[in-house]
Amino acid sequence: MLRGNKAFSLGQVTLKDSYLVNAFEKEVAYLTAFDTDKLLAGFRETAGVDMRGEERYTGWENMLIGGHTLGHYMTACVRCCESANCSEADRQELLQILKRLADGLSECQEAGKTGFLFGAVITDKNNVELQFDYVEENKTNIITQAWVPWYTMHKLFEGLVSVVNMDVEAEPAEEIRRTAEKVVTRLADWVYGRTSGWSEETHRTVLGIEYGGMNDCLYDVYLITGKKEHLEAAHAFDQTELFERVLNAETGDNVLNNHHANTTIPKFMGALNRYVVTGEDKYFEYAAHFWKLVTENHTYITGGNSEWEHFGEDRILDKERTNCNCETCNVYNMLKMTKKLFQITGDVKYADWYENTFINSILSSQNPETGMTTYFQPMASGYYKVYGERFTKFWCCTGTGMENFSKLQESFYFEKGSTLIINQYFSSSVEFRGAEITQDAKIPESDRVSFYIRGAFDGNFAFRLPYWLAGKAEIRINGLPYAYRVAERGGYALVEGPFGADTRIDLVLPMKVVAYNLPDGEATYGFKYGPVVLSALLGTKDMADATTGVNVTIPGNRMIEKTYIPSGKETITVTEGSVEEYMEKIEEHLVRQGDELKFALTGTDAALTYVPHYSQYKERYGIYFHFTDRDFFEAGDGEKELKRIDTVQPGYGQYENDALHNMTEYGTGSVGTTEGETSRYAKQGGSFSYTMIVNPEGTSLLVTFKRTDVGKGIKITAGDVTIYEEVPESHQESEYYDVLIPIPKEAMRFSEKRFYDCSEKAVLTFNFSGINHKESAAICRFMYTVER
């Protein structure tokens, strides 16, 4: 049902932009440096075949999520092979890599007999499917039981599907495709066998734990095999209850609050693919409305979303800015969805959003020197970008990062009938209707773009009129002004052919600096110049990394030196007039310095230079700052709000079992869904504990309980001090409610010092149990240590 606009293959579009060419070349160099035996080691161990003397890679690859990288890696290798920018030597090397991987997986599958393939660490060699059993039983300790096996399986499917559909003619591509098709067919048969046996309760349990886009990939498998069982298996992962809830929500309903973002986005990708495959309109509506809610309520100026991997409340973004915003995987999946929505609808809003996010999130995620990519991109100013490592970390975002830079040109051009649609302005060339059309673009350095037609062209052009235009676009053909017509639905300048050989078309796309504030921070502003987000240079002093979650590297300390802003904080004071007046004339205050892409901020107490955010990879930066005028600044700050010190998410193992929080538990139950409903409780006679950062001078616990636990008590202790021993009560009607529990000074004698986030912190271990050894009330969603 992709009845709108057809995308060009990667082999039809050649990158000529030097920044993008470098990014692609770095990606190819990275992919060709892998040891395929190490990538296959986990799969061979699971299948009981010869491991060729190799062990797994380390990091996440040597854990219960191991094997997830292989699927991303295969897809990235395929995309690089397909690319017009891939040299023949590199293409042959990548094809040989893919052949070894396809043959290796086939060998593992044959040995296993059932069609099952898996590459994670095996805890019981007598039951290699144990992780899947544990998920069905809702046992999800990520160290000893199960992490997210269906998520991992989804990545493998995606890689195999990419190989089957590989658009490469060179040998041995056809042989590789045949092998991959046999493997993916048998693997999908195994999935059907598993899903068809689920009870309603088991089905509900499995869908409450992260499963990637299993629905999405199985619809693709069905297109390959045509087997109705594979279609039914795809349906098994469609979470219709969630889809309906989102479809019926509007801004302010907070329907996505506390949902794990990169769990949720692929589910709706699956809904969209169901529409593509079956034509069921309702599933298009699900995806389109979800896209609308995310982009309007949860998205920063860069196109990124989430804090600590989760969506927050609708239009609450300023308060959520930290060093753990904007997970790269989220953007990867949102762009996949956006491309497909554009192909279906032709609506320019999707092309506009794609451009913004591609430049300011994707290009921004790669270190141009090393080719490594980010996990998070902080939205709190004073932090910096942290990149993965070549062969040691293997985060989820390592895998999506591989794919992101293997397909850079995938949404530059589309075709509809005889019309070439130009969506992105990057130097490149495309072959269409017998002509070669070359684009020479230098945005944002210049507002001019030229197109050169080699050979006669009997088609038409539709040039996107970007949302950031600072005036009317101008078009000239062979130097003469052209009075273009705007498309009926808007957003495109139509230029009609035919065109003779050697025709030149010139566009002028005016740009200016524009200020954008946040919905919950009217005086918190970021800036763009044309399509490019600008960020302030904040120096390299004392940059030291820390970790969060499962060995995820993050910027460890935040710093804004007083040489940049006198307060040493995010607040910038306007020296004349009000903030509103200042922003109305921002072009006069954020001024480009000659031909360089540097902009000096004037008219404030700050000494800041801004540059394109995507170019920042060596130092601290600031995208958003709080602007105030002098009268307001001197008036004082009023009542203090609660300030978060530390966070743990009960029931979500990745953030319970990390090195800091170090959960211990005996006799507990948990709900580990990824839709904001996570929780942990102590069963009769059981208990659990977390270690959390505290301020010895004054800290409280902010705990969320649920109304349905009425009558259940909970005892919270630190050392031998009882902090709380009550049956929580709420007089509110909401399903969940918060209780603020002050920590008595005497409990602080049990705190200890620990080096964390590049500095010494005070930590305290909290123990949770029921009153009189009975079952406790559940700790739900997120729990915080806070101070005023």
Side-chain angles (χ1 to χ4, degrees):
M1 298 297 291
L2 292 178
R3 56 197 176 205
N5 304 294
K6 180 182 176 182
F8 284 83
S9 70
L10 297 176
Q12 292 175 293
V13 181
T14 303
L15 296 169
K16 295 184 179 296
D17 180 279
S18 60
Y19 198 93
L20 301 189
V21 169
N22 173 72
F24 176 78
E25 290 176 349
K26 289 289 190 295
E27 188 58 48
V28 173
Y30 180 42
L31 296 176
T32 53
F34 272 80
D35 183 333
T36 54
D37 285 327
K38 284 184 178 292
L39 286 169
L40 287 167
F43 294 90
R44 288 170 172 160
E45 183 181 18
T46 300
V49 303
D50 181 11
M51 293 176 66
R52 278 53 164 189
E54 291 291 351
E55 297 181 349
R56 307 160 182 272
Y57 280 112
T58 57
W60 285 21
E61 279 301 299
N62 197 31
M63 301 183 74
L64 291 177
I65 199 173
H68 77 105
T69 301
L70 180 64
H72 289 297
Y73 178 80
M74 292 172 72
T75 297
C77 286
V78 168
R79 298 292 173 256
C80 288
C81 279
E82 293 173 330
S83 176
N85 286 83
C86 190
S87 71
E88 284 307 313
D90 285 335
R91 183 171 289 112
Q92 276 303 314
E93 185 172 0
L94 289 164
L95 284 170
Q96 291 303 319
I97 287 171
L98 288 167
K99 185 177 188 307
R100 292 196 295 273
L101 294 174
D103 289 345
L105 291 172
S106 179
E107 177 192 21
C108 293
Q109 196 174 58
E110 288 298 322
K113 307 300 184 185
T114 65
F116 177 69
L117 282 171
F118 207 53
V121 168
I122 299 300
T123 57
D124 184 350
K125 291 187 177 180
N126 295 316
N127 182 4
V128 294
E129 298 181 23
L130 185 59
Q131 276 209 60
F132 295 87
D133 295 340
Y134 276 143
V135 163
E136 291 174 5
E137 299 166 10
N138 198 25
K139 296 178 179 178
T140 54
N141 183 304
I142 68 168
I143 304 299
T144 62
Q145 296 173 328
W147 197 334
V148 281
W150 284 113
Y151 166 95
T152 306
M153 184 64 73
H154 164 241
K155 307 312 167 193
L156 181 58
F157 267 108
E158 286 283 303
L160 288 165
V161 166
S162 296
V163 175
V164 174
N165 294 327
M166 177 168 52
D167 186 14
V168 176
E169 295 182 1
E171 294 298 332
E174 183 56 34
E175 179 186 351
I176 299 168
R177 283 190 286 265
R178 286 196 301 268
T179 302
E181 185 170 348
K182 291 178 183 177
V183 172
V184 80
T185 301
R186 290 192 63 199
L187 189 58
D189 289 343
W190 172 84
V191 173
Y192 172 73
R194 186 116 197 170
T195 58
S196 61
W198 286 343
S199 67
E200 184 176 336
E201 181 181 356
T202 299
H203 191 195
R204 189 163 49 248
T205 298
V206 173
L207 295 194
I209 298 168
E210 185 173 8
Y211 58 82
M214 280 299 301
N215 50 352
D216 184 26
C217 66
L218 286 170
Y219 285 121
D220 286 335
V221 172
Y222 170 69
L223 290 177
I224 292 168
T225 68
K227 296 180 69 171
K228 65 178 180 61
E229 293 86 353
H230 298 164
L231 186 63
E232 291 176 17
H235 291 342
F237 289 96
D238 281 328
Q239 205 165 341
T240 308
E241 181 183 344
L242 170 67
F243 297 164
E244 283 289 330
R245 197 161 67 242
V246 167
L247 181 63
N248 292 311
E250 297 298 336
T251 297
D253 290 344
N254 293 320
V255 69
L256 297 177
N257 188 30
N258 288 327
H259 281 50
H260 187 263
N262 195 47
T263 296
T264 310
I265 300 166
K267 295 177 181 181
F268 285 86
M269 272 295 301
L272 189 58
N273 212 9
R274 179 165 178 166
Y275 164 76
V276 171
V277 171
T278 69
E280 298 171 82
D281 289 340
K282 192 79 168 181
Y283 287 84
F284 170 81
E285 294 173 18
Y286 292 147
H289 192 64
F290 171 78
W291 186 93
K292 180 176 183 289
L293 291 178
V294 172
T295 58
E296 291 183 359
N297 298 328
H298 301 279
T299 300
Y300 288 99
I301 192 172
T302 60
N305 62 61
S306 77
E307 194 276 327
W308 217 39
E309 302 188 1
H310 288 71
F311 293 124
E313 296 179 18
D314 290 353
R315 300 182 69 75
I316 300 298
L317 292 162
D318 193 23
K319 291 181 180 178
E320 295 279 312
R321 292 188 300 113
T322 67
N323 56 342
C324 292
N325 296 116
C326 301
E327 182 185 353
T328 303
C329 287
N330 301 354
V331 173
Y332 159 87
N333 279 308
M334 284 297 293
L335 285 178
K336 286 179 69 174
M337 180 184 293
T338 302
K339 178 187 176 185
K340 193 165 285 188
L341 286 167
F342 175 78
Q343 288 181 265
I344 294 167
T345 67
D347 194 324
V348 72
K349 71 182 180 184
Y350 298 118
D352 281 337
W353 196 87
Y354 192 105
E355 174 194 56
N356 178 67
T357 306
F358 174 73
I359 293 173
N360 300 304
S361 282
I362 296 300
L363 295 188
S364 178
S365 71
Q366 188 196 52
N367 183 319
E369 293 183 10
T370 66
M372 296 298 96
T373 53
T374 59
Y375 194 116
F376 294 119
Q377 290 191 45
M379 290 294 106
S381 294
Y383 289 112
Y384 54 94
K385 299 175 190 174
V386 175
Y387 302 92
E389 299 171 5
R390 286 168 69 82
F391 303 119
T392 56
K393 299 290 188 181
F394 294 108
W395 308 321
C396 51
C397 296
T398 305
T400 52
M402 292 177 188
E403 291 190 49
N404 287 333
F405 292 91
S406 67
K407 56 176 184 175
L408 294 165
Q409 68 268 50
E410 69 166 356
S411 285
F412 287 7
Y413 305 98
F414 294 84
E415 61 175 289
K416 186 171 185 179
S418 61
T419 298
L420 177 65
I421 301 168
I422 293 90
N423 266 4
Q424 309 300 334
Y425 295 105
F426 288 95
S427 292
S428 54
S429 63
V430 60
E431 299 171 6
F432 183 50
R433 298 178 70 85
E436 181 185 35
I437 297 149
T438 299
Q439 176 182 176
D440 181 17
K442 290 184 173 58
I443 291 175
E445 288 90 344
S446 166
D447 60 4
R448 298 176 188 276
V449 184
S450 297
F451 291 83
Y452 302 90
I453 303 172
R454 301 287 182 257
F457 177 52
D458 64 352
N460 308 303
F461 290 100
F463 296 102
R464 183 173 62 92
L465 299 171
Y467 68 96
W468 43 262
L469 281 177
K472 184 178 180 181
E474 298 176 12
I475 297 180
R476 291 177 176 267
I477 299 179
N478 292 329
L480 299 176
Y482 181 85
Y484 60 84
R485 181 168 56 88
V486 176
E488 185 176 340
R489 292 176 62 187
Y492 288 91
L494 304 180
V495 179
E496 298 177 354
F499 302 89
D502 299 324
T503 297
R504 172 174 172 165
I505 303 176
D506 294 303
L507 280 68
V508 177
L509 303 173
M511 295 177 288
K512 66 177 181 179
V513 174
V514 178
Y516 296 82
N517 63 357
L518 289 169
D520 61 327
E522 291 185 0
T524 301
Y525 284 90
F527 306 105
K528 293 173 73 173
Y529 179 64
V532 176
V533 171
L534 301 175
S535 63
L537 299 163
L538 294 177
T540 60
K541 185 177 180 181
D542 295 340
M543 290 168 59
D545 298 343
T547 59
T548 189
V550 183
N551 201 26
V552 175
T553 314
I554 57 174
N557 58 344
R558 183 181 187 184
M559 179 179 292
I560 300 175
E561 295 180 68
K562 292 185 177 182
T563 54
Y564 298 107
I565 301 177
S567 67
K569 298 179 180 179
E570 272 193 348
T571 301
I572 294 174
T573 304
V574 174
T575 54
E576 292 184 13
S578 68
V579 172
E580 292 77 9
E581 292 167 338
Y582 184 86
M583 294 303 166
E584 286 174 3
K585 298 178 180 179
I586 190 60
E587 281 186 281
E588 299 176 12
H589 301 298
L590 191 54
V591 182
R592 186 172 178 179
Q593 305 298 288
D595 293 332
E596 284 191 281
L597 278 174
K598 292 186 175 181
F599 299 77
L601 188 70
T602 65
T604 72
D605 65 344
L608 296 179
T609 298
Y610 283 78
V611 297
H613 181 60
Y614 71 80
S615 70
Q616 289 254 45
Y617 67 101
K618 289 184 175 181
E619 65 180 273
R620 299 180 186 276
Y621 64 81
I623 292 177
Y624 288 106
F625 293 96
H626 179 79
F627 285 79
T628 182
D629 58 66
R630 189 167 298 278
D631 291 339
F632 178 82
F633 183 76
E634 292 172 351
D637 26 63
E639 185 177 348
K640 293 182 179 179
E641 296 182 350
L642 292 174
K643 178 184 177 184
R644 179 169 57 189
I645 302 172
D646 192 14
T647 309
V648 69
Q649 186 176 4
Y652 191 58
Q654 183 170 342
Y655 292 113
E656 295 178 300
N657 296 290
D658 59 286
L660 170 64
H661 299 117
N662 193 28
M663 178 185 70
T664 61
E665 57 94 16
Y666 171 77
T668 72
S670 66
V671 176
T673 78
T674 51
E675 299 176 15
E677 308 306 319
T678 61
S679 62
R680 185 169 296 280
Y681 64 93
K683 295 179 180 178
Q684 185 174 353
S687 66
F688 60 98
S689 68
Y690 302 113
T691 300
M692 301 185 72
I693 299 171
V694 294
N695 178 357
E697 299 304 315
T699 302
S700 297
L701 272 178
L702 184 61
V703 184
T704 300
F705 297 103
K706 59 181 177 181
R707 175 174 290 280
T708 53
D709 272 354
V710 61
K712 294 181 180 179
I714 190 167
K715 182 178 181 180
I716 306 174
T717 61
D720 60 8
V721 177
T722 298
I723 295 171
Y724 184 82
E725 188 174 12
E726 294 185 25
V727 176
E729 292 185 1
S730 171
H731 302 292
Q732 305 171 18
E733 295 183 0
S734 57
E735 183 179 0
Y736 295 92
Y737 59 95
D738 296 331
V739 175
L740 187 65
I741 304 170
I743 300 171
K745 281 278 188 183
E746 60 180 314
M748 288 299 175
R749 74 176 189 274
F750 296 101
S751 67
E752 56 187 38
K753 299 292 185 180
R754 183 179 298 178
F755 195 77
Y756 184 78
D757 273 8
C758 308
S759 62
E760 195 174 64
K761 309 281 188 185
V763 298
L764 185 61
T765 298
F766 300 95
N767 189 75
F768 303 83
S769 61
I771 297 176
N772 296 324
H773 307 291
K774 295 181 180 179
E775 183 177 298
S776 77
I779 305 294
C780 303
R781 294 184 167 179
F782 294 90
M783 181 173 69
Y784 307 100
T785 49
V786 297
E787 61 184 345
R788 289 196 183 275

